[in-house]
Amino acid sequence: MEEHFDVAILGMGPGGEVAASRLLKAGRKVAVIERELIGGECAYWACVPSKTLLRPPEAKTAANRAAGASGAELDWVAASDYRDYMIRHLNDKAQVDGYTGQGATVIKAEARITGPGTLQAGDRNLAADHIIIATGSEAVVPDLEGAEHVTTWTNRETFTATELPKRAVLIGGSAVGTETATFLARFGVDVTLVHRGHGLLEREEPRVGELARIYLEEAGVKVRLGVRAARARREGNGSVLEFDDGTSVGADVIIFATGRRPRSKDLGFETAGVTLDDRGAVQVDEFCRARGNVWAIGDVTGVMPFTHVAKYQGRIVADAILGRPRPATYEGIPRVVFGDPEIAAAGLTQAQADEQGRSTAFAELDLAESLARPWTYEQEPRGHLGLITDTDEGILIGAWAVSPLAGEWIHQASLAIRTRIPIAALHDQVAQFPSYSEAFQMALENLKYRKETP
């Protein structure tokens, strides 16, 4: 027997949850389908546990750097217990009950699209006027000779671990690699981070990657760039990872932080006319429509793999279904890496601006040399801010910061980029004293032009 719904949501991570809540409040008949835990990767194995575990060492570092504060110590048992509380002990009963109480039909099963407007979830056949694909992404585990003989982890094992290894080698220099290395090293693990590229965080400005490396090495991480993992082997009770330059490193665990891929394989999306790109990402228009009344949100779209983008797209799709369509825009959306200190960016990099042929001016500000706030915040203060402006349009188009609390005050730049606030208006902004936000005005006063303006 086929059950009919106004909307069926395939995947209940952050994007699916936002869409479901909006649609349920509007009185729509909604089926929410999740094969694992409602809340998705972010809530149980990624964002929430990682940020929970990064906070204690951040607090210890802050206490050690603050004049007159001392004695902060880390307690792994207490930290991991609180982590378990934050990830609901990998139990989503409260979420299931919550959605059921709102009137949703909750189906915990593997599901696939079987045709236009139809799905199969476990042994149930569903029909829906609208289908929202929100199946997220999964960790990429590259082929590594000998991997089957050693202990390997992804983010899931790392951030739900009950015991930490003494030694870890981490493959990957992205945001996940940077955060994971910071967490483990601050908790006393001997960490080696290996990246085949020549800089960390290669999607950001090279200067950002340079600063990230400096602070990782200050935390005790051994960073090796420009080398590839060639093979792994067991040696006694541990593992050895060999590199393509003939060197090797020993570890108790090898952790893959080598990216993620959209989860779209063998889920029947093509039967509804949905197009996938070479990575398996669902192709969507500016309203997150994949085809007809099939929509897609979050990591599975490959647009920007961030929880906050998935939630934004969830709002976009729900509003479109409810007759209030508006296009999604992605300019200026913040990107944050919870290192120590935090790393944040928004808008274009200089390379991207150059590719677009834009005439630009830039500035980099050493916060400790320019502001009072870094000195009131910590001894031996740290921090830099970079800005990029379009000199023809007179607007801010890019920003980055490596500094305490950068993930909070980068939103000033994000808003300016998204709303195209004129530089003249930014110059007239009055920032709280003392604050890190004062840096924006200081940097704008020191712009250097890269190209002659007309």
Side-chain angles (χ1 to χ4, degrees), residues 178-200:
T178 300
E179 290 186 354
T180 304
T182 300
F183 149 58
L184 292 173
R186 292 296 189 187
F187 268 103
V189 178
D190 182 348
V191 179
T192 300
L193 185 153
V194 181
H195 181 50
R196 64 185 181 183
H198 295 287
L200 301 177

Side-chain angles (χ1 to χ4, degrees), residues 164-332:
L164 296 179
K166 293 182 179 179
R167 303 172 301 161
V169 57
L170 182 65
I171 303 175
S174 65
V176 174
T178 300
E179 290 186 354
T180 304
T182 300
F183 149 58
L184 292 173
R186 292 296 189 187
F187 268 103
V189 178
D190 182 348
V191 179
T192 300
L193 185 153
V194 181
H195 181 50
R196 64 185 181 183
H198 295 287
L200 301 177
L201 303 172
E202 290 173 307
R203 295 183 179 179
E204 304 298 344
E205 295 287 354
R207 177 65 168 145
V208 173
E210 177 186 330
L211 291 168
R213 178 176 183 174
I214 289 171
Y215 293 125
L216 280 176
E217 290 179 336
E218 283 186 4
V221 178
K222 295 180 280 292
V223 179
R224 296 200 56 191
L225 301 176
V227 294
R228 293 173 180 263
R231 63 190 61 83
R233 56 183 169 84
R234 175 68 63 181
E235 187 173 277
N237 294 324
S239 306
V240 174
L241 184 63
E242 300 177 357
F243 306 117
D244 59 357
D245 64 355
T247 62
S248 63
V249 62
D252 300 309
V253 62
I254 297 171
I255 303 174
F256 292 110
T258 42
R260 301 186 67 83
R261 65 168 64 92
R263 185 176 174 271
S264 59
K265 186 178 180 181
D266 299 328
L267 295 178
F269 296 166
E270 298 88 343
T271 65
V274 171
T275 300
L276 306 180
D277 70 8
D278 293 341
R279 301 168 298 160
V282 176
Q283 300 298 281
V284 295
D285 66 13
E286 66 270 31
F287 301 100
C288 296
R289 186 192 304 271
R291 180 68 177 268
N293 283 348
V294 180
W295 315 78
I297 58 179
D299 286 9
V300 76
T301 68
V303 174
M304 294 182 79
F306 304 125
T307 293
H308 46 290
V309 172
K311 295 169 75 169
Y312 170 58
Q313 291 176 325
R315 299 195 300 270
I316 291 290
V317 167
D319 286 352
I321 290 173
L322 295 172
R324 304 188 296 267
R326 57 193 172 95
T329 60
Y330 302 100
E331 292 82 3

Side-chain angles (χ1 to χ4, degrees), residues 65-67 366-382 404 434-436:
R65 299 180 73 92
D366 184 316
L367 303 184
E369 292 181 356
S370 309
L371 305 177
R373 180 54 175 158
W375 294 92
T376 66
Y377 190 82
E378 60 184 1
Q379 301 176 94
E380 301 181 7
R382 309 159 290 168
S435 68
Y436 284 105

